[in-house]
Amino acid sequence: MESTQNYLVFFGCLVDTPALDQLRIEPRGVLGVDRRTGQIIGRDAHSGVDSAVEYVRAWTGDVSVKGEDVEKVSLSGGQFLMPGLIDTHTHAPQATFMGLGHDLPLMEWLETYTFKYESKFSDTQWARQMYQAAVSRVVRNGVTFAAYYGTIHLEATCVLADVIRGIGQRAYVGKVCMDANSPDYYVQTTTTTLDDTREFVARIQAADDQGCGGLPLVSPIVTPRFVPSCSGACLQGLGDLARAHDLPVQSHLCENPAEVAFAKACFPGSTSYAAIYNKYGLLKPGSIMAHCVHMSDEDVELVGATGSGVSHCPNSNFALTSGIADVRRLIARGIPVGLGTDVGGGYSPSIIDAMRMAAAANRALLAMKRDRGDALEGRAAVPLEFSEVLFLATMGGARVMRMHHLLGSLDPGKLLDAVVVDLDVQNSPVPATSTTPAIGERGEGSADAWRLRIEQFVFLADDRNISRVYVDGKLIHSLV
C-alpha cells in the first residue's frame, strides 16, 4: 500500500472537532501531508487552484517539488476526511468470545468467559492467529490508535505488539498483571508479574519501530487488571515502574457495584476505589481509567486532581448491566474523556457504535434524572450532541491518551492519523442524499448539508463506510 511519493494532498471535505464545542467543516478543503514525517504540512480552503504541487510548494517554500513527488487524492461528493478514531479501552484477546455472555453480570462473566479464554494465549501460535484477526477488525472500523490489554503472558503480549506493528496501527499495549483473587490456572506470583512487566516494557521500547518523528507506533502501558486482582505489592511495583519510565497506566475503575465493593474489601482502609490506585501512584496524567460508572465524589475528585483520564465504554456498560457513566459530570470536573469499545465486555469493536451508544446512554441518564426530580441546569441538562460524541471519539481520546498535541484534529504540525469516510459506498447504511430531503433543502455540498451528513455518519454508519485508514500519513487499510 505504501507510496514512494513524498507528499499526499487531499482535495475535498475536511471534518474535525478541535474542541468539545467546535465542529469544524471545510466543504471544499485542501490538506497536505509530508509522508516522510507523517505530519500535516498545510490546510487551506480550496482557492480554485487544482494543482497539488502548487499547494505543496506554497506550504513548504520548496519550489523544486515536482508532480511526481505528490499524490493527489480527490474525495468524491459523499466522502470526507476526518481524524482517526481512538479506542481508549479494548481487550485484544477477548475478541475470541465477543458477543457472548451478555446475560451475565461482570464478575460472573469474568469467571465464565474471560479468564478461561485468555488463558489459552499461553500458546503463542494461537495468539498470533487470534491477534491478527482482532487487530485487523479494529483497523477496518477506522481505529488508528488503540489502548490494548493483552493477557498475563509475556511472550503472547509481545506477539500482540508485533502484530500491531505489522499492520501499521498506533497503539498502547499492556501485559495484564494479576497476582491475587484469580483462578489457579490464570494467575502469576507478584515477583513474576512484575518481572515480566519490566521485561515487556524493555522489549517494546527496544523494538525497531516504524513510527515517524521518533515516536514509536507501539508503546508499553502499565496494566493492572483491576484492584481486586492485584496485591498491594503488585500495585506498588507497577506504580514505581510507571513513575520511573514515565509510562501511561490503564485499568478499570468503578465499573460495577459488586466490583466496587470487592475492591474496597481487598483494601479495607481505603476511603474510595480511586484512592487505592492513587495510594500506589497509578493515578496521574496518562492514566486511563475505564468505565467510571459508580463514582463517589471522592473518586471523581481524585481522578480530576491527578490529571487522569476516563474511557467511557457505554456498549459494555449496557451489555453487562453495569450502569451508566455520567459523562457530563466528568467533563464538568475537567477530566479528559474518550470512548472505548471494551471488547469483549462490549459486543462491538466499532468506535462509531461507541459514539451512538454514548449518546443513547446520556439520554437514558437524563431521563432517569428527570423522572426522579433531579435539578438539571446548564450543560448537565443538555443531551450529548453528535458533534460532542465525535469529539470524544477523536480529540477526546487523544487527550485521554496524552497525545492531543500530535493527534485528534486535522491541524498543520500534527501527525496524519485519519480516515476517509464514504457515505455513498455501495450498500451504505447511510441513506442517499436523494432520499433525505433535509440535506437538499440546505444546499447539497454546503457546510449546513455536511453537518446533517456527519450526524448521519455518527448514528448510522459502520465499517462499510470506512474507505481508507491512514497512520503517520501511510495507508494501512483500503476498501479498494
Side-chain angles (χ1 to χ4, degrees), residues 361-439:
N362 172 255
R363 284 149 178 74
L365 185 63
L366 277 178
M368 287 190 293
K369 288 183 175 183
R370 177 202 64 207
D371 292 349
R372 71 188 181 207
D374 290 7
L376 298 173
E377 299 178 350
R379 296 302 294 172
V382 179
L384 282 174
E385 299 172 15
F386 77 89
S387 58
E388 292 179 303
V389 295
L390 187 64
F391 171 88
L392 297 182
T394 53
M395 181 59 86
R399 291 182 65 222
V400 170
M401 307 278 246
R402 205 168 50 162
M403 290 283 282
H404 52 288
H405 59 299
L406 292 173
L407 304 172
S409 66
L410 299 178
D411 288 304
K414 290 196 172 185
L415 297 172
L416 186 84
D417 285 14
V419 296
V420 173
V421 176
D422 189 347
L423 300 178
D424 293 340
V425 69
Q426 188 175 6
N427 298 321
S428 175
V430 180
T433 56
S434 61
T435 63
T436 312
I439 293 173

Side-chain angles (χ1 to χ4, degrees), residues 4 30-31 69 87 104 108-110 112-113 132 135 143-144 149 172 199 231 242 254 264 281 336 339 350 396 472:
T4 58
V30 187
L31 183 139
D69 298 325
D87 190 342
L104 301 174
E108 189 176 344
W109 178 80
L110 289 171
T112 304
Y113 288 97
Q132 187 72 37
V135 176
V143 174
T144 54
Y149 286 59
Y172 288 155
E199 175 65 16
S231 67
C254 297
K264 290 181 178 179
L339 298 180
S350 169
D472 269 349

Side-chain angles (χ1 to χ4, degrees), residues 133-416:
V135 176
S136 296
R137 184 183 296 111
V138 173
V139 169
R140 288 198 304 272
N141 278 278
V143 174
T144 54
F145 188 15
Y148 288 104
Y149 286 59
T151 61
I152 67 172
H153 311 104
L154 169 61
E155 299 301 333
T157 309
C158 288
V159 167
L160 172 58
D162 185 57
V163 166
I164 294 166
R165 283 193 210 97
I167 290 172
Q169 190 186 37
R170 192 181 307 282
Y172 288 155
V173 178
K175 190 209 84 69
V176 172
C177 295
M178 301 165 59
D179 73 333
N181 301 312
S182 303
D184 292 342
Y185 63 86
Y186 193 57
V187 68
Q188 294 179 305
T189 66
T190 306
T191 299
T192 299
T193 202
L194 292 175
D195 286 348
D196 281 1
T197 300
R198 296 186 191 102
E199 175 65 16
F200 176 74
V201 169
R203 288 194 201 178
I204 299 305
Q205 291 184 331
D208 181 17
D209 215 325
Q210 302 299 312
C212 286
L215 181 70
L217 279 181
V218 178
S219 300
I221 184 168
V222 171
T223 307
R225 177 167 226 116
F226 66 161
V227 160
S229 67
C230 296
S231 67
C234 177
L235 295 174
Q236 185 65 65
L238 294 175
D240 292 344
L241 181 65
R243 182 169 52 254
H245 295 274
D246 191 26
L247 297 173
V249 175
Q250 62 181 353
S251 197
H252 301 77
L253 176 63
C254 297
E255 179 176 0
N256 175 283
E259 170 230 5
V260 174
F262 191 12
K264 290 181 178 179
C266 292
F267 292 82
S270 62
T271 56
S272 69
Y273 196 160
I276 302 168
Y277 287 119
N278 194 49
K279 175 182 177 181
Y280 296 107
L282 293 164
L283 290 185
K284 64 188 188 70
S287 291
I288 306 167
M289 294 290 114
H291 304 294
C292 297
V293 175
H294 303 278
M295 299 277 279
S296 68
D297 289 343
E298 181 181 340
D299 288 316
V300 173
E301 183 58 31
L302 278 173
V303 171
T306 56
S308 303
V310 169
S311 176
H312 177 38
C313 305
N315 185 307
S316 172
N317 296 155
F318 281 137
L320 296 177
T321 327
S322 295
I324 302 174
D326 193 340
V327 171
R328 288 281 191 212
R329 178 189 182 201
L330 300 172
I331 290 172
R333 177 55 184 82
I335 296 170
V337 179
L339 298 180
T341 59
D342 192 30
V343 168
Y347 51 77
S348 172
S350 169
I351 287 292
I352 304 175
D353 170 86
M355 284 193 281
R356 46 185 169 255
M357 293 291 275
N362 172 255
R363 284 149 178 74
L365 185 63
L366 277 178
M368 287 190 293
K369 288 183 175 183
R370 177 202 64 207
D371 292 349
R372 71 188 181 207
D374 290 7
L376 298 173
E377 299 178 350
R379 296 302 294 172
V382 179
L384 282 174
E385 299 172 15
F386 77 89
S387 58
E388 292 179 303
V389 295
L390 187 64
F391 171 88
L392 297 182
T394 53
M395 181 59 86
R399 291 182 65 222
V400 170
M401 307 278 246
R402 205 168 50 162
M403 290 283 282
H404 52 288
H405 59 299
L406 292 173
L407 304 172
S409 66
L410 299 178
D411 288 304
K414 290 196 172 185
L415 297 172
L416 186 84

